Amino acid sequence: MNPRSDLAVYASHPASSRGRRHPETPAPTRSEYQRDRDRIVHSTAFRRLVYKTQVFLNHEGDLFRTRLTHSLEVAQLGRSIARSLRIDEDLVEAISLAHDLGHTPFGHAGQDALHECMADHGGFEHNLQSLRVVDQLEERYPHFDGLNLTFETREGILKHCSKVHAQQIEDAEPGGVGGRFLRREQPGLEAQLCNLADEIAYNAHDIDDGVRSGLITIEQLREVPLFDQYRHAAQAAHPHLKDAAMHRRLLYEAIRLMLSAQVYDVIDATSAALAQAAPTSADAVRRSPPLVRFSEPMREQSVVLKRFLFKNLYRHAQVMETTGRAQQVVRDLFAAYLQSPQEMKPAFAQQASTDDMAVKSRAVADFIAGMTDRFAGREHQRLTGQRLLD
């Protein structure tokens, strides 16, 4: 297959993929990255994302973002930017849709609790778990575990990795996706883009969900220049949005303008960085400093927005009280399954039927990480008789 003429030389060309861990005959009508995307969409882990928390727990409202809707928004933003940069949109979409497959129920609260439970056995990190899902935990094919995705998709899924874990991956898979963390290299442009699209997406939709929840207000957001300049622009262009009845439309228009400005900023700043670095291949990108970026003024404004959301939304007393109970659910489940592995589904119970505490604990962590918010709550009530989440 010849390299695609619509892609730049620095893009990840599917015809030049480093391949899959288990060789497969190429698909007749799809590129390697399209095939990855399709496998991800049809996976069990992807379907579970619809009932996994972003910020607000699943039972708190039907219109708040979930891990699934977040992943779709990341993919949409990523593809829009990738098209302008002439990098592979299908790879960007595959990474975007898979990047949260390993996330626990109850969002970062659940991850923190599970990391605490696994402190003596390597900890827990959702990027590493996402890779574990696509490499091992999905059971869909007759001849191998996992989804057998391409190197480039797996590279993008493993966004962060400690040196210890990277060395473990490298020992098990020499020349694989752990090596770049040891060599201090970057991933391909498509993976770099997904990382930034993830940030753009959650900042925007957390504003929307925060205002919808009543925990933050448009008035409070006046202290955030990145949002307030587009609120002002929206009202200037559409004076009727100043009316209280237009509150929701004002919010949507301001967020839309903010998102557009960030997308164009990334395209311009990244194009300038590419012109300066002049990489001639995807591997040359890996040896370069990070190239997908905001301009410095936009980066500074994005940091101010993140600080505002952290203080006023993620650390809001109501959110903290709910996530505190969610963390207790995870801790209680971990202790219960460790004590009685037979309470888990058979495949996990079998893995946990060992005296090796590291192996047993990892099986329990895998089982809990795969849960939706709703299933975790039901299991907790079944095992403890308590109803911590209503």
Side-chain angles (χ1 to χ4, degrees), residues 196-332:
L196 194 51
D198 184 26
E199 177 183 330
I200 294 171
Y202 69 65
N203 279 342
H205 63 53
D206 287 354
I207 290 175
D208 186 5
D209 285 351
V211 173
R212 179 182 295 278
S213 72
L215 300 187
I216 58 176
T217 66
I218 292 181
E219 286 302 311
Q220 281 180 286
L221 283 159
R222 287 178 179 269
E223 67 184 74
V224 181
L226 181 56
F227 175 84
D228 197 54
Q229 62 184 302
Y230 298 110
R231 176 204 59 79
H232 181 77
Q235 290 181 329
H238 311 282
H240 66 286
L241 293 182
K242 295 179 181 179
D243 296 343
M246 295 289 105
H247 166 94
R248 177 60 56 183
R249 296 190 188 216
L250 172 61
L251 178 67
Y252 288 154
E253 182 65 4
I255 291 174
R256 185 184 69 80
L257 293 173
M258 183 182 77
L259 281 172
S260 294
Q262 289 180 296
V263 165
Y264 297 139
D265 183 88
V266 171
I267 292 170
D268 290 344
T270 301
S271 297
L274 286 166
Q276 182 174 9
T280 55
S281 67
D283 282 338
V285 167
R286 294 182 172 91
R287 296 188 295 269
S288 301
L291 296 172
V292 178
R293 62 183 64 171
F294 281 131
S295 66
E296 192 53 37
M298 184 63 79
R299 165 56 59 195
E300 291 173 356
Q301 291 189 40
S302 179
V303 168
V304 172
L305 171 56
K306 286 196 286 189
R307 287 173 179 165
F308 171 88
L309 290 170
F310 185 87
K311 175 184 176 183
N312 295 281
L313 182 60
Y314 311 144
R315 289 296 179 264
H316 190 284
Q318 183 174 320
V319 173
M320 293 296 290
E321 193 274 334
T322 303
T323 56
R325 285 186 278 123
Q327 287 184 320
Q328 188 61 49
V329 167
V330 171
R331 287 191 289 265
D332 289 348

Side-chain angles (χ1 to χ4, degrees), residues 117-118 121 332-342 344 352 357 359-362 364-365:
C117 292
M118 290 292 293
H121 305 290
D332 289 348
L333 286 175
F334 190 88
Y337 293 135
L338 207 61
Q339 179 68 32
S340 304
Q342 70 276 8
M344 296 189 290
M357 284 303 294
V359 173
K360 177 180 286 190
S361 298
R362 186 58 62 184
V364 172

Side-chain angles (χ1 to χ4, degrees), residues 43-62:
S43 69
T44 303
F46 184 72
R47 291 197 301 277
R48 289 191 185 117
L49 296 181
V50 72
Y51 294 119
K52 288 196 177 191
T53 289
Q54 186 66 27
V55 173
F56 296 93
L57 302 193
N58 187 258
H59 68 274
E60 294 182 285
D62 292 339

Side-chain angles (χ1 to χ4, degrees), residues 151-170:
F151 171 91
E152 292 77 16
T153 299
R154 296 171 61 240
E155 174 188 54
I157 290 171
L158 192 61
K159 185 167 63 173
H160 305 295
C161 189
S162 69
K163 186 175 180 180
V164 171
H165 286 143
Q167 188 62 60
Q168 291 171 348
I169 295 171
E170 181 66 15

Side-chain angles (χ1 to χ4, degrees), residues 21-22 61 96 99 149 156 167 221 259 281 354 362 370 385 388 390:
R21 296 196 300 165
H22 306 280
S96 298
H99 81 283
L149 304 181
Q167 188 62 60
L221 283 159
L259 281 172
S281 67
T354 173
R362 186 58 62 184
L388 294 186
D390 194 359

